[in-house]
Amino acid sequence: GIKDLGIDEISEKKGHRYLTLVTDINKRRVIWVGRGRDRAVLKKFFCWFGKKRTQRIKCVVIDMHDPYEAELRVRCPRAKRIYDRFHIIKPLHLAIDKIRCRLYKELPPEGRRYIKNSRFLLLRRREDLNPKQSVRLEELLAVNETLNVAYILKEDLRSIFDIQNSWLARAEFRAWKRSARESKIPELLDYLGMLTRRRFGILNFFKHRKTNGLSEGFNNVAKTIKKNAYGFHDWQYFRLKILRQCGKL
């Protein structure tokens, strides 16, 4: 009965050692844990999962990790690949931070005081700011048009992902891309190029409204298991611990 999958990775130990977790989104459980985050680890999963069950998969939610996507194209080409909204918006946050750093270098010393230590003001949700932070943010946006435009576009994109109507969300997304293109801000133009390359996974999100929030939650549980045990020498034992607590065994 497994039709929708979520795929995400968790750090196993220092040195870029990862485990890949595959979750059954509908039954809210981890069904498989493998070592690594490349195509080979997903190949092992699909060999274990079986060809018949793979053919029944309708949706797979992933981050924008190219090895995962490459293997999914081969193993289940008919399944809808959906990008998690967090991983779509995160590169925009990085772009805004690059804008901030560039402007800081370009401005004279007296103009830098508004931008200094403003990173989290620009990246946090407006509703999460306290009154003092809100006032400082308004002062910053009032004196810098480029940051003002970038901040408004960031907030607009976040609100688009909250629209439940699929047709309306896609229409608003196309309008947002036109606005970002008209801004002519280099960092936003680079971000638009990424959106164009990844457009199918993004549009599938608006249609199916599935996220990897469940996988992220299981990742936090796995981190807690590792922390309580002060780490594991045997990754297979760590795997069994995850499956027992997150797999409803």
Side-chain angles (χ1 to χ4, degrees):
I2 300 174
K3 295 183 179 179
D4 299 328
L5 297 177
I7 302 175
D8 204 359
E9 72 274 354
I10 180 177
S11 175
E12 178 196 353
K13 58 179 66 177
K14 293 180 179 179
H16 299 286
R17 303 289 291 274
Y18 296 95
L19 298 179
T20 293
L21 274 61
V22 182
T23 60
D24 176 0
I25 293 177
N26 297 322
K27 294 185 179 179
R28 305 180 67 82
R29 58 179 179 167
V30 175
I31 60 173
W32 191 83
V33 180
R35 199 177 200 184
R37 64 192 294 261
D38 52 9
R39 287 190 64 173
V41 70
L42 270 195
K43 183 178 180 180
K44 291 178 183 177
F45 163 72
F46 284 113
C47 289
W48 169 84
F49 197 58
K51 190 173 181 180
K52 289 185 178 179
R53 283 190 287 185
T54 299
Q55 290 174 345
R56 300 191 189 106
I57 298 299
K58 293 184 177 180
C59 297
V60 183
V61 185
I62 58 173
D63 57 16
M64 291 184 282
H65 189 45
D66 290 329
Y68 288 166
E69 188 160 8
E71 190 64 21
L72 288 170
R73 287 197 190 101
V74 175
R75 296 288 174 171
C76 43
R78 295 182 180 179
K80 301 292 184 182
R81 293 184 298 277
I82 304 169
Y83 293 137
D84 182 63
R85 60 181 291 175
F86 170 80
H87 293 95
I88 300 170
I89 296 177
K90 183 179 178 181
L92 178 58
H93 287 186
L94 297 176
I96 291 176
D97 195 42
K98 288 180 181 178
I99 295 170
R100 183 188 64 84
C101 293
R102 173 172 61 83
L103 294 175
Y104 184 83
K105 294 176 182 178
E106 294 174 354
L107 288 172
E110 61 272 15
R112 293 179 178 178
R113 64 187 181 91
Y114 290 100
I115 297 180
K116 188 175 182 180
N117 299 325
S118 63
R119 180 173 182 266
F120 291 104
L121 290 177
L122 294 167
L123 301 185
R124 281 179 182 157
R125 295 169 176 258
R126 186 183 288 270
E127 56 267 27
D128 293 338
L129 300 177
N130 61 42
K132 185 177 179 180
Q133 291 171 330
S134 298
V135 171
R136 183 157 180 257
L137 176 64
E138 293 301 329
E139 291 175 351
L140 171 63
L141 300 180
V143 298
N144 195 294
E145 182 181 357
T146 302
L147 280 179
N148 187 38
V149 170
Y151 183 83
I152 291 172
L153 286 171
K154 184 214 49 161
E155 291 293 295
D156 287 346
L157 183 62
R158 188 168 63 84
S159 64
I160 289 171
F161 280 94
D162 292 330
I163 298 174
Q164 298 298 316
N165 184 290
S166 173
W167 181 88
L168 179 60
R170 284 184 283 184
E172 290 289 336
F173 182 65
R174 288 192 292 269
W176 185 92
K177 290 198 293 183
R178 286 195 297 270
S179 298
R181 192 174 295 109
E182 290 169 359
S183 73
K184 298 181 180 179
I185 300 173
E187 292 83 358
L188 293 184
L189 295 178
D190 292 340
Y191 178 70
L192 279 175
M194 185 276 293
L195 292 183
T196 300
R197 295 191 299 273
R198 309 280 189 172
R199 62 188 181 277
F200 294 113
I202 298 171
L203 295 176
N204 283 337
F205 170 82
F206 293 130
K207 184 176 181 181
H208 298 281
R209 308 297 305 181
K210 295 184 183 294
T211 72
N212 239 359
L214 179 65
S215 297
E216 296 292 342
F218 285 139
N219 285 355
N220 291 332
V221 174
K223 290 175 184 176
T224 302
I225 294 171
K226 182 175 70 171
K227 181 180 178 181
N228 291 340
Y230 296 95
F232 290 90
H233 293 292
D234 183 355
W235 81 271
Q236 289 281 9
Y237 187 66
F238 185 24
R239 165 183 168 272
L240 291 173
K241 282 285 191 179
I242 296 171
L243 288 173
R244 180 176 182 182
Q245 193 154 340
C246 305
K248 296 184 179 181
L249 298 182

